[in-house]
Amino acid sequence: MKDPLAHFEPFPEPPALVLEYIAERSAEESVVDGPAPWDLGSLSAELIEPMPAWLDSVCRWMNGRYAWQPQDVIPPCWARHEGLAYEIAALAFARQDAYTTAGSAVTWHEQYDRFLTRMHTTLGKAGDECRVGKHEERPARFQLAAWPAQTGDAQAPDAAGRVGGTV
């Protein structure tokens, strides 16, 4: 009898440069105090450069294993949805850690299910178009351009919601 599990593909390995960074960062006497590798917006150009290809292979892997329903497919334009890209990076690194024990692997699958819920919420109806290769930058009625421009003297509100220390 042929082995029914022989066709299972391993999860994509992170880029070597990123693995080296993680090892340096987690060494007991490390002098590396950089951002977490899943914090995409904080990574150096050198560290961010290999990430899109790896995260794309992660998305393809997850789609191939878990996306049995159309709404569960991570769209090919995932990197153009910034929040989704952050989520995918965190989920990919969490999976690397999760397979140390069976219980944590089950927890990762629960995290994956919550990721799908957040992805559905984030993409909304636009997700259907994205999944078939018809990406829209942002649905027109939700353009962030509707926010007034910040002025040079604008300040963030304080805890009470007051701006600029006014009473």
Side-chain angles (χ1 to χ4, degrees):
M1 182 174 152
K2 187 177 178 181
D3 183 359
L5 303 181
H7 69 282
F8 283 35
E9 292 180 36
F11 190 76
E13 275 289 318
L17 181 67
V18 174
L19 289 174
E20 290 169 16
Y21 174 75
I22 292 168
E24 288 174 16
R25 198 172 168 265
S26 59
E28 202 166 306
E29 295 182 24
S30 176
V31 294
V32 175
D33 190 27
W38 50 89
D39 187 0
L40 299 176
S42 298
L43 297 179
S44 68
E46 180 184 31
L47 284 172
I48 199 72
E49 192 271 324
M51 294 296 273
W54 176 60
L55 291 175
D56 191 71
S57 67
V58 166
C59 290
R60 289 170 186 269
W61 187 91
M62 288 192 293
N63 282 342
R65 274 60 275 109
Y66 298 106
W68 288 96
Q69 300 298 318
Q71 71 273 9
D72 293 342
V73 172
I74 299 168
C77 58
W78 61 267
R80 296 174 72 182
H81 297 274
E82 193 170 333
L84 192 54
Y86 275 104
E87 290 247 14
I88 292 165
L91 193 63
F93 282 103
R95 191 187 183 286
Q96 292 294 113
D97 294 339
Y99 276 73
T100 57
T101 66
S104 58
V106 170
T107 300
W108 182 86
H109 284 90
E110 292 168 354
Q111 292 169 339
Y112 178 77
D113 189 53
R114 290 192 305 268
F115 159 77
L116 290 177
T117 299
R118 289 188 306 273
M119 180 178 72
H120 297 162
T121 300
T122 298
L123 296 176
K125 292 181 187 242
D128 293 340
E129 295 300 307
C130 286
R131 288 181 185 93
V132 296
K134 297 178 182 172
H135 174 80
E136 267 187 58
E137 283 308 311
R138 192 179 285 264
R141 65 181 180 200
F142 299 114
Q143 290 293 333
L144 293 179
W147 282 63
Q150 285 185 322
T151 59
D153 56 54
Q155 296 176 0
D158 63 14
R162 296 182 300 252
V163 176
T166 57
V167 181

